[in-house]
Amino acid sequence: MARVFISHSSKNTELAADVRGWLKTDGHDVFLDDDQHDGIKGGNPWEERLYEGLRWADAVVCLVTSDYVISQWCFGEIVAAKTLGSRLVPLAAEEGLRHPLLNDLQHIAYHSAQAQDRICGILREINATGGAGWPDDRSPFPGLRAFDVDMHRAFFGRRREVNDLVRLLRSLGERGEGQIVVVVGPSGCGKSSLIRAGLVPAMADEPGWATLAPFVPSTDPVAALSQELAHAARSTPSQIRQYLDEDNGWFRTVEDLLLAGPSPPRRRLLIVIDQFEEILTRSSTTGRAQLAEILRPALAGSVQVVVTLRSEFLDSLLADPRLAQLPIHSVTLRPLDTAILPRVIEGPAQLAGLKVDPELVSRMVADTASGDALPLLAFTLKQLATGLPRGATLSPQRYHQLGGVQGALIRQADLALTDALTANQRASNGRSRTDILASLLRLVTVDEIGQPTRLDVNYQKLPPPVRAELDTFITGRLLTTTSREGTVLLGVAHEAFLTAWPPLAQAINTAGAALRTRRMLEQAAAEWENAGRSTSFLWKQDRVAAAVSDTGAQLHRIHPDRPEAKDTTTGRFRALRECREVTSGRVDLGPAVRAFLHASIRHQQRRRRRFFTAVAAALVVAFAITTIAVIQRQTAEEQTQIAEDQKKLATVRGLVAQVEARRGNDPRLALQL
């Protein structure tokens, strides 16, 4: 929640304590100078601590009384807050009273029934758009992570692009009704930072607009959207998902959001989706279609969607039949001009009260080379600024020790790898450098064009040795953890880590085919799950065999944990016939993928058994039919022979009769007969 400084006269301590109480109840961090927990401790320099609190605060709640109006120190607090850019919220404790320095701001009556709700609502809005304070102990450089909403004050160098985007969203005629604004640019050029730390805070100040916190689609884009809607509506993701599935549920949800704010009713809702290429690389076709089905009618109403997309995925986005119903307006973001890089270095440092030697700035700009290396520059600056107090100077000697812009990340990754190996030796688990790189490959996928991209995994479900190894990279700020619906997700801080550190880049290159196949398996497994595990979504034998070969998956006749387990990966088709269990090989295959592969294999086994059973039955029937035919033929031949024998017997009998008749009177003829 928001960080709040309560500005009050020393004669209104009880009123200030009351305000502090209900702000704390709503979850906000509060600075009240004479409070024993949140205020100035005995023996501390009070004036310095007050200015530190003002720099720290996102908002300053001014408790306006007659004593407050005449207080020179309170006057100074208001001036300092305005200078620092903090949000001022006047709370009038006396009817009709206004402070002359706050005359242009709406005063909230302290004794009104809605005072608490209005104040807390304003603070929640301030928090959602990143706040306005900057704690003295916070680094102004994000490292490998993108600048997020809460770092908007440290975001420099893209003011023109932010203003252009704001103007575009204001102008329906320029962008076109019902169109998604797609910010397109190469990896590392700052797309995520632009919309998170630039666009979202700027649109928060636009009258009539409400904004959702930016999110990434991941494997289930509708679930990710539901989570952000639930957070904004103070509901649950499952409840929002239920609304979205109902007729007109989307419009009802948006309408409730727009009317819920403390400010005058808003007319437009801004939804920001970062790394939209995940719709194509990680989401299932079903999830893709569901998102398009939800957004299409929303775009025709009060919703505006802005997404970021890597350049190489624009053609795929336009060609996808499920997304074709979503018209787009593309905006190209070019890498930052090197002439602006000094501002990117000096601006955040000035915000945090740090000094930078001009010679160091020139050297860092030269070492950065181009605007698409911004993540490496930000990481280096983060390393330089870590642990420095306000008023300190970024050291050229420290920069040299880090190895410059290109060497800082490599050095940090090498240290993390060494720490991981040391931890393995202490644990005596026998895991090697290759094992650690294999653990990092769990966090990587490769798209259709061979570009490595990040892959978030469930941190809690990783084996303990793997967690211990990856923790060293988390400590080195190369990996990050985020919480989503109670699940801790682990991922790389920035995709630059995947290509800038040679050992990992080589491992990714070696395992490229396996990683690409794993991505296809993950998509297929997701579609299979979404379809209720329908057998029509399972793969056939040839495709399964190729996937097993690419990923090195191990197929076992019995459960692999048993000592008598025997690997049958030699002879792929025999292994498929005899498989009872699937385990990971060259790359880690998650439970969903292993279940999908095993189900595909078992389905093919059942089909094969049914086929051979049908063939055997057909052979039995054919043999029976053949046997019956032979018997019938033999019977017919026997009947024919009997008929011929009977005919011959009749002829003989006729001749004998004639002989008997002629024997007396014509013995010669009788003899001939």
Side-chain angles (χ1 to χ4, degrees):
M1 286 295 179
R3 299 184 296 267
V4 187
F5 183 105
I6 299 180
S7 176
H8 69 102
S9 166
S10 59
K11 296 180 180 180
N12 306 129
T13 302
E14 291 185 6
L15 287 177
D18 181 56
V19 173
R20 174 194 176 275
W22 45 263
L23 289 179
K24 295 287 285 187
T25 301
D26 199 51
H28 303 287
D29 291 332
V30 182
F31 176 88
L32 180 60
D33 56 1
D34 55 2
D35 184 82
Q36 59 179 346
H37 300 292
D38 304 319
I40 303 173
K41 303 293 189 297
N44 287 350
W46 66 271
E47 186 172 354
E48 179 182 331
R49 184 70 180 90
L50 281 176
Y51 279 116
E52 181 183 341
L54 287 168
R55 290 193 296 268
W56 165 87
D58 296 320
V60 176
V61 174
C62 303
L63 191 55
V64 180
T65 64
S66 299
D67 294 319
Y68 187 84
V69 171
I70 63 175
S71 169
Q72 292 300 310
W73 185 254
C74 295
F75 186 93
E77 288 179 350
I78 295 175
V79 172
K82 285 190 171 186
T83 303
L84 292 169
S86 296
R87 176 80 173 269
L88 290 160
V89 184
L91 185 60
E94 298 177 20
E95 187 175 354
L97 185 65
R98 301 178 71 86
H99 195 286
L101 287 182
L102 305 174
N103 207 36
D104 59 331
L105 299 176
Q106 178 67 36
H107 286 49
I108 299 173
Y110 173 80
H111 296 290
S112 67
Q114 299 83 21
Q116 294 186 24
D117 290 340
R118 291 183 64 187
I119 292 285
C120 291
I122 290 171
L123 294 176
R124 284 194 292 270
E125 275 197 342
I126 291 172
N127 179 69
T129 54
W134 197 267
D136 283 357
D137 59 353
R138 185 182 187 186
S139 172
F141 304 108
L144 287 178
R145 306 180 76 168
F147 282 91
D148 214 332
V149 176
D150 62 338
M151 293 195 73
H152 68 95
R153 290 194 63 196
F155 181 59
F156 290 85
R158 291 290 193 184
R159 177 170 295 182
R160 179 177 59 82
E161 289 85 350
V162 171
N163 291 340
D164 288 346
L165 275 176
V166 171
R167 185 168 55 251
L168 178 64
L169 294 182
R170 287 184 191 139
S171 173
L172 178 63
E174 185 176 348
R175 72 175 184 275
E177 185 176 2
Q179 290 188 333
I180 291 179
V181 175
V182 181
V183 179
V184 183
S187 178
C189 73
K191 301 182 297 296
S192 296
S193 297
L194 175 71
I195 63 166
R196 289 175 178 270
L199 179 64
V200 170
M203 291 305 297
D205 293 333
E206 284 291 303
W209 282 81
T211 60
L212 285 188
F215 66 93
V216 295
S218 191
T219 55
D220 190 344
V222 178
L225 172 61
S226 299
Q227 180 175 349
E228 294 308 325
L229 286 169
H231 181 73
R234 310 194 82 177
S235 180
T236 63
S238 58
Q239 184 67 55
I240 295 295
R241 190 72 179 259
Q242 182 179 341
Y243 288 158
L244 296 182
D245 292 337
E246 297 174 357
D247 292 339
N248 297 320
W250 170 258
F251 297 101
R252 192 163 59 250
T253 301
V254 172
E255 183 179 358
D256 290 345
L257 274 176
L258 294 177
L259 294 175
S263 52
R266 284 79 57 90
R267 300 183 304 276
R268 303 284 292 172
L269 175 67
L270 176 63
I271 296 176
V272 178
I273 307 177
D274 196 11
Q275 300 176 40
F276 198 63
E277 60 271 6
E278 288 192 0
I279 287 286
L280 301 167
T281 62
R282 297 192 61 193
S283 302
S284 66
T285 54
T286 302
R288 208 177 305 165
Q290 288 175 342
L291 182 68
E293 188 65 26
I294 288 173
L295 292 183
R296 184 179 55 80
L299 290 168
S302 55
V303 172
Q304 176 62 57
V305 179
V306 176
V307 306
T308 66
L309 184 76
R310 277 173 30 200
S311 306
E312 59 268 29
F313 287 97
L314 182 58
D315 289 343
S316 299
L317 176 67
L318 296 173
D320 189 278
R322 285 156 290 274
L323 301 175
Q325 57 183 305
L326 300 176
I328 70 170
H329 179 99
S330 62
V331 176
T332 301
L333 183 67
R334 302 184 185 279
L336 197 65
D337 192 328
T338 53
I340 304 177
L341 289 179
R343 184 61 178 151
V344 172
I345 300 170
E346 295 167 341
Q350 183 178 2
L351 171 68
L354 299 174
K355 302 172 184 176
V356 191
D357 186 275
E359 183 179 345
L360 177 60
V361 173
S362 300
R363 186 174 170 187
M364 295 181 75
V365 169
D367 290 349
T368 303
S370 64
D372 55 5
L374 282 176
L376 299 181
L377 174 63
F379 181 83
T380 306
L381 288 166
K382 176 83 169 181
Q383 298 296 302
L384 285 173
T386 298
L388 293 183
R390 190 175 185 86
T393 302
L394 298 184
S395 166
Q397 292 77 17
R398 172 65 174 157
Y399 179 73
H400 177 73
Q401 292 173 356
L402 290 173
V405 170
Q406 299 296 326
L409 183 143
I410 295 174
R411 179 178 180 275
Q412 188 74 1
D414 288 341
L415 288 173
L417 179 60
T418 301
D419 290 343
L421 289 169
T422 302
N424 285 341
Q425 291 172 359
R426 286 197 300 267
S428 301
N429 58 25
R431 289 175 63 82
S432 65
R433 180 177 186 271
T434 302
D435 295 322
I436 296 172
L437 291 173
S439 297
L440 288 169
L441 288 180
R442 294 170 181 258
L443 312 177
V444 186
T445 187
V446 175
D447 58 35
E448 299 90 343
I449 61 174
Q451 181 74 21
T453 58
R454 62 178 292 154
L455 177 67
D456 293 336
V457 300
N458 189 329
Y459 176 78
Q460 293 140 320
K461 290 186 177 181
L462 293 173
V466 173
R467 285 204 302 267
E469 292 163 359
L470 298 185
D471 281 346
T472 64
F473 290 87
I474 296 173
T475 303
R477 297 183 176 85
L478 299 165
L479 305 181
T480 60
T481 56
T482 56
S483 180
R484 184 181 300 165
E485 295 184 10
T487 301
V488 178
L489 298 178
L490 176 68
V492 298
H494 194 280
E495 289 173 355
F497 175 49
L498 306 179
T499 55
W501 187 39
L504 182 56
Q506 179 59 41
I508 293 171
N509 184 59
T510 302
L515 293 171
R516 278 192 294 272
T517 301
R518 183 177 68 180
R519 179 180 59 81
M520 292 188 290
L521 282 167
E522 288 169 343
Q523 291 178 333
E527 292 179 358
W528 175 58
E529 287 286 353
N530 291 336
R533 297 198 166 194
S534 169
T535 56
S536 60
F537 284 80
L538 296 174
W539 282 5
K540 294 182 179 179
Q541 178 171 289
D542 288 350
R543 199 170 183 187
V544 170
V548 168
S549 177
D550 287 343
T551 60
Q554 304 294 306
L555 308 182
H556 302 269
R557 293 181 180 179
I558 56 179
H559 195 282
D561 292 338
R562 298 179 185 173
E564 66 270 26
K566 182 179 179 182
D567 182 35
T568 59
T569 51
T570 57
R572 291 180 305 175
F573 291 103
R574 182 185 172 201
L576 293 176
R577 289 196 299 271
E578 300 177 353
C579 175
R580 295 293 183 272
E581 184 77 16
V582 180
T583 57
S584 299
R586 285 188 291 275
V587 293
D588 177 70
L589 303 176
V593 169
R594 295 199 303 271
F596 172 76
L597 274 177
H598 190 244
S600 296
I601 293 170
R602 294 298 299 272
H603 181 60
Q604 292 302 314
Q605 290 172 340
R606 288 191 293 269
R607 289 189 61 187
R608 192 178 301 107
R609 284 196 294 269
R610 288 196 297 267
F611 172 75
F612 284 122
T613 300
V615 169
L619 289 174
V620 170
V621 171
F623 178 76
I625 292 173
T626 302
T627 302
I628 293 171
V630 169
I631 293 173
Q632 289 177 339
R633 180 178 177 183
Q634 290 176 345
T635 302
E637 289 176 350
E638 290 174 357
Q639 294 295 331
T640 301
Q641 187 65 42
I642 291 171
E644 290 179 356
D645 290 347
Q646 289 177 345
K647 184 178 179 180
K648 290 177 182 180
L649 182 60
T651 301
V652 170
R653 286 174 177 169
L655 290 172
V656 169
Q658 292 182 46
V659 168
E660 291 294 334
R662 290 174 172 78
R663 186 174 56 179
N665 58 8
D666 193 352
R668 187 181 183 84
L669 178 59
L671 183 61
Q672 289 176 348
L673 293 172

